[in-house]
Amino acid sequence: MCELEEFASLRRAMGVTRARLLMDDVAARLVAALPDLRARPAGPNLLELGYDCTSPVAGPSILDRVRVAIAAPFDLDGEPYRLSLRIGGVGVAAADADEVQMIEAAEQALVDARQMQADVLRDLIDPAAGDDPIQLMRELPGAIAEGQIFLQYQPKVRVRQQKVVSAEALVRWRHPTRGLILPGAFIEAAERSNIIGTLTLWIIRRAIADQRTLAAQGYDIPIFINISGVLLSDTGFVRDACALVAAGGAKIGFEITETAVIRDPESAIANLRTFADIGVPLAIDDYGAGLSSLAYLKRLPASELKIDKLFVTQLTSSNRDPLIVRSTIDLAHALDMEVTAEGVETPAALALLGVMGCDMVQGFLISRPVEFAAFQTFLAEDRHLAAMVSPRMTFLRNEGQWKTA
């Protein structure tokens, strides 16, 4: 269920008749961007959206595509207006689908989304979907103070040198009663409740301490931290983060998504340049997951571009994905950026990426995200080397196809 947040003010400005046609404009925009989407009015300022996919993990990606599609201004009687949707969504296996139950659950999700000022997406079958996002939002500050938050690390390996060259820090929440809570369940709530700055500064402090420990053990590799788009226009956070990194004496990098920059491009790009000016390396994360724009890409002071796993996981079973990945690698190199492929899970994908000239890889083939002690053991035992031994000749039959294309 999608709600147009500006409906009341637009109705006052444009009149009732034109305002009621707004949802038709929104529905047309969304269906054009996502042709498989089903959209129908559910009220003066409401849309009911339906989408079929093969896995629950596709839900967040669909939401991201909806957000990107709605980001550009609408032409309303000759005037440009930016509209925003508040979304409450649910998913369920087709065999278990009950339309009335799904509508009621989506309506409740939208109620929660309004209250917490954040989109809500739930899996009706997954027990974790029972976590109340508003309750998690309330508990998060105490979780940070009480040590329930911790980091896992996933290494990035340079393909040609077969060497671990950096790691990504991933935040996790070990709840005393709910067990392990992954970031998808609490990061957006943290963004909307202004806790995201406190959480990210904690992550930076923890990563600095861990990086200095690694450096003392002979593994002086940078640790990259994900920075929320909400924080890219927060000058107070930028100031505090720069102070922490400057005083920390550790190699710390930041990962940002291009869609995050689109929220407030001028402030975001200016603050990213502030990070770059003090020597913080920047990586563009999840490239290709949204509607990537060269207009923004060429302005970002980034040294690394990470290809979204959506393209990498199907690299050896798709005719188009290899073409997209290869062209992205060439584009990044032309912009003086190195390329990391996320989601590398098979030796075959690793081999093809090596042929394409991809600089670094990250994924379950190398290592799943692990806690700091396990990451130290991984480095000490060079566990990545076994994964890097893969036959390249598997792809000689396909190489000509994507090169010619």
Side-chain angles (χ1 to χ4, degrees):
M1 301 295 292
C2 299
E3 180 178 65
L4 182 62
E5 293 190 298
E6 301 88 350
F7 181 78
S9 60
L10 287 171
R11 182 176 56 193
R12 287 192 295 269
M14 305 171 60
V16 174
T17 302
R18 180 65 183 94
R20 286 178 176 172
L21 297 175
L22 281 177
M23 298 314 292
D24 293 334
D25 297 338
V26 172
R29 169 84 68 87
L30 294 178
V31 171
L34 291 85
D36 295 331
L37 189 73
R38 302 182 298 276
R40 63 184 182 187
N45 65 330
L46 293 174
L47 275 181
E48 180 183 311
L49 304 182
Y51 199 98
D52 297 327
C53 50
T54 57
S55 168
V57 300
S61 175
I62 295 166
L63 279 188
D64 286 342
R65 292 171 65 189
V66 168
R67 293 186 190 105
V68 171
I70 209 73
F74 282 75
D75 184 352
L76 304 182
D77 299 333
E79 295 290 333
Y81 283 87
R82 292 188 181 274
L83 306 181
S84 59
L85 295 178
R86 180 61 59 218
I87 303 173
V90 295
V92 68
D96 300 316
D98 179 294
E99 185 174 7
V100 173
Q101 180 190 30
M102 290 189 70
I103 290 174
E104 291 178 350
E107 288 173 342
Q108 182 57 53
L110 182 58
V111 170
D112 293 341
R114 290 191 199 108
Q115 183 173 351
M116 64 188 294
Q117 288 295 294
D119 294 339
V120 172
L121 181 63
R122 294 173 176 148
D123 182 344
L124 291 185
I125 302 302
D126 184 356
D131 288 333
D132 182 350
I134 298 175
Q135 185 62 32
L136 291 179
M137 180 178 67
R138 293 170 181 156
E139 294 181 18
L140 186 53
I144 297 171
E146 295 168 12
Q148 298 173 21
I149 305 298
F150 66 99
L151 298 183
Q152 290 184 331
Y153 293 96
Q154 189 172 35
K156 287 187 279 187
V157 172
R158 188 170 296 281
V159 177
R160 294 190 181 278
Q161 286 78 19
Q162 299 188 2
K163 180 180 179 182
V164 178
V165 291
S166 64
E168 181 180 358
L170 300 162
V171 65
R172 302 288 187 260
W173 181 354
R174 189 178 286 112
H175 195 281
T177 59
R178 296 183 175 93
L180 182 65
I181 303 176
L182 297 178
F186 66 88
I187 288 297
E188 191 165 358
E191 290 176 338
R192 297 299 184 180
S193 61
N194 296 323
I195 305 170
I196 190 64
T198 301
L199 176 62
T200 305
L201 292 174
W202 179 90
I203 293 171
I204 293 174
R205 293 187 188 96
R206 181 70 265 165
I208 287 173
D210 289 347
Q211 199 283 333
R212 293 178 64 178
T213 298
L214 292 177
Q217 295 171 348
Y219 308 108
D220 194 14
I221 59 173
I223 291 176
F224 281 79
I225 297 163
N226 291 283
I227 303 297
S228 165
V230 173
L231 298 175
L232 290 182
S233 57
D234 185 336
T235 55
F237 168 80
V238 172
R239 180 190 63 246
D240 294 343
C242 288
L244 282 176
V245 173
K251 292 182 178 179
I252 298 296
F254 292 156
E255 294 190 5
I256 52 97
T257 62
E258 189 188 12
T259 51
V261 174
I262 293 174
R263 297 183 184 188
D264 185 359
E266 297 308 319
S267 295
I269 292 171
N271 287 328
L272 288 173
R273 286 175 177 156
T274 299
F275 291 139
D277 288 344
I278 67 167
V280 175
L282 301 174
I284 301 170
D285 197 14
D286 298 335
Y287 184 78
L291 297 179
S292 302
S293 167
L294 293 178
Y296 292 117
L297 183 63
K298 68 180 183 179
R299 297 177 60 192
L300 300 180
S303 58
E304 178 184 343
L305 185 147
K306 302 183 73 176
I307 301 175
D308 187 74
K309 62 183 178 181
L310 173 69
F311 300 100
V312 177
T313 53
Q314 301 182 46
L315 193 59
T316 60
S317 60
S318 165
N319 290 327
R320 292 187 174 184
D321 285 354
L323 299 172
I324 294 171
V325 170
R326 178 57 191 263
S327 63
T328 301
I329 292 171
D330 291 342
L331 171 65
H333 287 167
L335 294 173
D336 293 325
M337 289 189 283
E338 292 193 303
V339 180
T340 298
E342 299 183 281
V344 178
E345 298 181 357
T346 65
L350 174 63
L352 184 52
L353 288 164
V355 172
M356 290 179 171
C358 185
D359 302 292
M360 293 170 285
V361 292
Q362 178 181 354
F364 283 7
L365 177 67
I366 308 301
S367 173
R368 62 181 178 84
V370 294
E371 293 189 48
F372 186 58
F375 183 55
Q376 290 174 291
T377 301
F378 176 92
L379 294 173
E381 297 179 355
D382 286 331
R383 291 186 179 175
H384 65 287
L385 293 177
M388 302 300 291
V389 179
S390 58
R392 292 175 180 264
M393 57 184 174
T394 304
F395 284 97
L396 292 180
R397 67 180 187 276
N398 290 334
E399 182 178 344
Q401 180 183 0
W402 53 258
K403 280 191 173 180
T404 302

